[in-house]
Amino acid sequence: MSTLSWQKSSYCAQGNSCIHIATTPHTIHLTESADPSGAILMATPATFASLLSTLKKETPRG
């Protein structure tokens, strides 16, 4: 497997709590900057798009 090219989230401020993303044609890889070689979440592009859509939805306030 080739080496992944990681990119830091554009929403990340300065510090150690950032999300990094790397893509391949069939997989989206996510990790955190505090431990980039630790846990890596992998998802298909469709599953990742669904996750982003869910996170962007406004939650109802009661």
Side-chain angles (χ1 to χ4, degrees):
M1 184 171 158
S2 64
T3 303
L4 296 172
S5 177
W6 293 96
Q7 178 181 354
K8 182 169 68 169
S9 168
S10 61
Y11 290 95
C12 182
Q14 298 296 331
N16 290 331
S17 298
C18 299
I19 297 295
H20 291 247
I21 187 169
T23 62
T24 64
H26 304 288
T27 309
I28 308 294
H29 305 264
L30 296 165
T31 191
E32 66 171 316
S33 59
D35 187 10
S37 63
I40 297 175
L41 173 69
M42 295 181 285
T44 64
T47 302
F48 185 67
S50 179
L51 171 65
L52 290 180
S53 176
T54 300
L55 293 173
K56 290 178 181 180
K57 289 181 182 175
E58 186 173 334
T59 56
R61 295 178 185 183

